[in-house]
Amino acid sequence: MSLRNIIKPYPSPLITGRGIDLDFPMLAGCLALLGLGLIMIASASTEVGAAQSGSALYYMTRHLIYVVLGLGACIVTMMIPIATWQRLGWMMLIGAFGLLVMVIIPGIGREVNGSMRWIGFSFFNVQPSEIAKVFVVIYLAGYLVRRQKEVRESWMGFFKPFIVLLPMAGLLLMEPDFGATVVMMGAAAAMLFLGGVGLFRFSLMVVLAVGAVVLLIQMQPYRMARLTNFADPWADQFGAGYQLSQALIAFGRGEWLGVGLGNSVQKQFYLPEAHTDFVFSVLAEELGAVGSLCTVALFVFVCIRGMYIGLWAEKAKQFFAAYVAYGLSFLWIGQFLINIGVNVGLLPTKGLTLPFLSYGGSSLVICCACLGLLLRIEWESRTHLGSEEMEFHESDFAEEPNHGR
């Protein structure tokens, strides 16, 4: 199936009789995060870039390439009708399983810091868990539409999704990638709740999920060590609590207004992973509490806007699109809460990127692709393009849009 055949059935928000027709508040919020991320990567990675490659701008240049690729992915996903994603949901699920199996095969998967989370190519690495999370959301959205009555009224409709989710969670834990597992299962649980699962069954699912998390933590000594050390990192400041201690020092040095962009001391090999998992700590040091709170506010706006896009699609009776929007928003919310929680010491240390800000090609490109999906969903719900009972042609979109939202 060619790209031309995929996008032919419907107009695109980029190609209409009235020009570009997008949800500009959502687009502006995400572009602001992308721009801030590029600035912070340029600042946080100078020392490690100079030491590893001889160029202080090495990681910034690579991140800029990922931004360009991500914007390209955003444009492509924006041009594909949501109905196409719905038809291909089962194929995406198979593809997600295939990628997660490939990454744990020696010789194919690439091991970094003791984890097999990447499939290495000549110039870049692909992280299958980032792709799998989105594909699971798309598949589960289709399931909730097809089996809506069964999900709401029977135990079997409630348990069937876990026939897919639990094996996928097992593959993620084999890498191991505990953070991605928690985010994926959390987003799936939220989608099931919004899909109409009764409160009793949902509460039972939450209890079982908490029990499973406790069991998984106890099964691995390093997870127990992280859990016990994050409560008081200063007890082992130069051992297990080192990374969190350095992150907290960065927050302390930043005070209210920060030490100034580029003036971070913690990025000079005191704080490990300063340009990836702990970029928010460097941001707090350089921009202070004010800059940190503004960044959090920007994230909150983007996530709430994504939830509203789902609500608008649901009001337009485009339920698949609504569940996809909810699921993608919960993926962002989960990663945001975990990453920020780790940086400020509210959660145990966990390697999970901050959407749009952290260095990492797979995460950045997938986040941009998700943005394209959300923009497409908003446009289709506003124009009622995805409604089954209505048919549209290019000439129907000649008038100026109503941006009352």
Side-chain angles (χ1 to χ4, degrees):
M1 182 181 293
S2 66
L3 180 60
R4 181 179 180 181
N5 291 331
I6 290 176
I7 66 176
K8 186 178 178 181
Y10 297 108
S12 160
L14 297 174
I15 309 173
T16 67
R18 58 196 179 201
I20 298 176
D21 185 14
L22 297 174
D23 180 11
F24 286 104
M26 183 66 167
L27 179 62
C30 291
L31 288 179
L33 287 173
L34 280 174
L36 179 61
L38 182 62
I39 293 172
M40 292 313 306
I41 295 303
S43 174
S45 66
T46 53
E47 303 299 328
V48 66
Q52 294 183 358
S53 67
S55 171
L57 299 180
Y58 174 75
Y59 285 104
M60 188 276 287
T61 304
R62 289 177 64 89
H63 191 77
L64 181 59
I65 294 173
Y66 295 144
V67 169
V68 173
L69 292 175
L71 293 176
C74 177
I75 292 173
V76 171
T77 53
M78 207 186 310
M79 297 178 70
I80 301 175
I82 299 302
T84 301
W85 297 102
Q86 187 172 3
R87 288 196 304 269
L88 300 179
W90 64 275
M91 295 178 62
M92 294 179 183
L93 183 68
I94 295 174
F97 271 108
L99 288 171
L100 292 179
V101 169
M102 288 174 61
V103 77
I104 59 177
I105 297 176
I108 298 179
R110 181 168 178 247
E111 184 175 350
V112 178
N113 295 330
S115 298
M116 297 273 287
R117 300 180 186 177
W118 294 267
I119 297 177
F121 294 92
S122 55
F123 297 104
F124 61 94
N125 298 318
V126 174
Q127 191 170 1
S129 62
E130 296 290 339
I131 302 172
K133 288 184 295 186
V134 177
F135 285 4
V136 164
V137 165
I138 293 173
Y139 174 80
L140 188 56
Y143 173 83
L144 290 173
V145 171
R146 293 191 307 270
R147 305 288 184 179
Q148 188 176 61
K149 184 177 180 181
E150 189 177 356
V151 169
R152 293 180 176 181
E153 298 179 0
S154 72
W155 283 93
M156 185 57 66
F158 169 68
F159 281 119
K160 279 182 180 179
F162 292 96
I163 299 175
V164 171
L165 292 173
L166 291 179
M168 187 162 290
L171 289 171
L172 286 171
L173 291 172
M174 290 176 66
E175 296 183 5
D177 195 342
F178 187 69
T181 306
V182 171
V183 170
M184 183 190 74
M185 296 300 286
M191 290 175 68
L192 286 170
F193 180 72
L194 293 175
V197 171
L199 185 59
F200 175 74
R201 281 175 287 165
F202 182 76
S203 301
L204 177 62
M205 177 176 60
V206 171
V207 171
L208 292 175
V210 171
V213 169
V214 172
L215 180 62
L216 288 170
I217 290 175
Q218 293 179 342
M219 288 174 60
Q220 294 291 341
Y222 77 92
R223 290 178 186 148
M224 278 299 299
R226 286 180 176 179
L227 185 64
T228 55
N229 288 322
F230 98 97
D232 185 14
W234 308 106
D236 191 10
Q237 181 180 353
F238 298 103
Y242 177 78
Q243 195 169 30
L244 180 53
S245 299
Q246 298 302 316
L248 294 177
I249 291 173
F251 277 91
R253 293 193 73 252
E255 297 183 348
W256 283 104
L257 299 178
V259 298
L261 189 64
N263 294 327
S264 169
V265 171
Q266 294 305 103
K267 69 181 181 182
Q268 298 177 10
F269 304 105
Y270 291 103
L271 178 61
E273 309 295 339
H275 62 299
T276 55
D277 301 339
F278 283 84
V279 68
F280 189 75
S281 296
V282 177
L283 184 149
E285 183 182 3
E286 296 188 348
L287 303 183
V290 174
S292 301
L293 291 175
C294 289
T295 303
V296 170
L298 197 54
F299 269 112
V300 170
F301 168 76
V302 166
C303 292
I304 291 178
R305 188 74 178 183
M307 296 294 291
Y308 268 105
I309 288 174
L311 179 62
W312 295 330
E314 192 170 358
K315 287 182 177 179
K317 300 189 183 303
Q318 299 174 6
F319 297 108
F320 171 79
Y323 292 137
V324 170
Y326 291 142
L328 296 180
S329 299
F330 279 116
L331 288 180
W332 287 357
I333 292 170
Q335 288 190 229
F336 164 70
L337 290 177
I338 292 176
N339 185 279
I340 299 295
V342 167
N343 275 257
V344 300
L346 293 177
L347 293 173
T349 303
K350 187 70 204 75
L352 204 63
T353 57
L354 188 60
F356 295 106
L357 255 71
S358 295
Y359 175 82
S362 296
S363 175
L364 188 62
V365 172
I366 292 299
C367 282
C368 291
C370 292
L371 170 62
L373 270 172
L374 288 170
L375 292 174
R376 177 79 194 198
I377 290 169
E378 189 276 336
W379 181 73
E380 287 196 9
S381 66
R382 177 157 43 85
T383 58
H384 299 279
L385 187 61
S387 301
E388 294 181 357
E389 67 275 10
M390 304 183 72
E391 294 184 1
F392 291 88
H393 302 283
E394 182 69 27
S395 59
D396 295 322
F397 301 95
E399 299 181 358
E400 289 297 319
N402 181 12
H403 291 289
R405 290 177 179 171

